[in-house]
Amino acid sequence: MLDRLPFLVGLRYVRAKRRNHFISFISLTSMLGLMLGVAVLILVLSVMNGFDHELRTRILGMVPHTKIESQAGLVEWQALAEQLVERERVIGAAPYVEQQGMFSAGGRNQGAMVNGIHPDWEDQVSIIGEHMRQGQLSDLVPGEWNVVLGSMLARRLGIGVGDRVTLLVPEASITPAGVFPRLKRFTVSGIFSVGADLDANLAYANIEDMQTLARLGDAVGGLRLELDDLFVAGSETQAIVNELGAGYRGTDWTASHGSLFQAIQMEKRMIALLLTVIIAVAAFNIVSTLVMVVTDKRADIAILRTIGATPRSIMGIFIVQGLAIGLIGIAIGVTVGVLLALTISDLISWFETTFGIQFLDAGVYFISDLPSQLQWGDVRDIVIAAFGLTFLSTLYPAWRAARVQPADVLRYE
């Protein structure tokens, strides 16, 4: 019976009505604090995970994981692509020709990067085909000088499918009449939208047309590679360059977008740390609750000691009581947090539709809706951290309870 004493008495103290309502209020406040802290931490980390996932799938779905280039240009690129795809980490390869230029239409000018692509190979390294609003990549037929524009780029130029647009490239052509910038008229054959800033500064044309415009002959600018794990891009790029030998160079996605991912990871860690402090404050409120309970139950402690309860059993009683309060708050917080994390996107969409308020403007942020991705590993870590803080907060009051001397208490009873 004495072995079960801490659980029986500790759980009874949790359920018992108290003469001192202030103790009950502090206990309820501690429970609510833990609940809110755990729920908010789960929700915020899920939203941060959602932003991270959207960045990976949208931006890095358009940006190559790795680019392999040659100083003299790649002529036999098909053979090199087949060679690289045989590597364990490489799952796709496609040729490209990049050309920075300025589009002009109806008196409006807008700078953009034009990617010359092979429509039959591009799906191996890019998600552009999945985000075509109008037209298809197959419309980029060699010799027809068609171009696919990002939705924001097309909107800024005030043009749509079927309209003509002039591309000015920063290379001069020397003619008997003088030096003139190189110009070429394109027909807009499609518009894509990935919901990111790439919609404003990226365009696609057929690789053969861009080879002609850049005067590359049969050579391409390089190969874009898709890897099975984007976080090994740095080491894999270096390994490929070392294997190919002199004359080749490689760059990976971290050169252009690595700082963005590092910023998101840093924000996630800092937010998790700040919200963990909130959980810690709520958990250590249990200290004050248990200290007052110990003071209120001194007579009960003395009686238990006289019938054979050990100091260890007395400590166990108040540890069980504190953990019970904490576990109730943590359980409710996990339930609320998980439900919010799974439904926050729909809730925000409903709120925007009902009240006509837009939280995320696609013109400012790279997405227009609030993403959320629940990861059970985060939930596990939050529960462990909250439980650990709760356990630590019970030790001092339980130790004080174990030091109560029955003779001193019963002398005045």
Side-chain angles (χ1 to χ4, degrees), residues 160-229:
V161 173
D163 293 334
R164 303 276 286 177
V165 62
T166 301
L167 174 64
L168 183 151
V169 297
E171 295 182 10
S173 299
I174 302 177
T175 68
V179 179
F180 292 92
R182 193 177 303 172
L183 305 173
K184 187 60 185 179
R185 295 277 285 176
F186 285 83
T187 300
V188 179
S189 63
I191 293 177
F192 71 87
S193 175
V194 293
D197 58 352
L198 297 175
D199 294 340
N201 52 38
L202 191 60
Y204 290 91
N206 187 276
I207 192 169
E208 294 185 21
D209 293 341
M210 295 306 298
Q211 285 174 316
T212 301
L213 185 62
R215 299 176 180 175
L216 295 176
D218 294 331
V220 300
L223 288 176
R224 296 194 297 171
L225 305 180
E226 180 85 2
L227 307 179
D228 60 352
D229 183 358

Side-chain angles (χ1 to χ4, degrees), residues 43 46-54 341 344-345 360 366-367 369-373:
L43 175 61
S46 297
V47 171
M48 296 298 293
N49 291 333
F51 273 101
D52 182 73
H53 179 263
E54 289 297 320
I344 188 64
S345 299
L360 296 176
F366 71 92
I367 56 175
D369 54 349
L370 188 67
S372 177
Q373 185 181 48

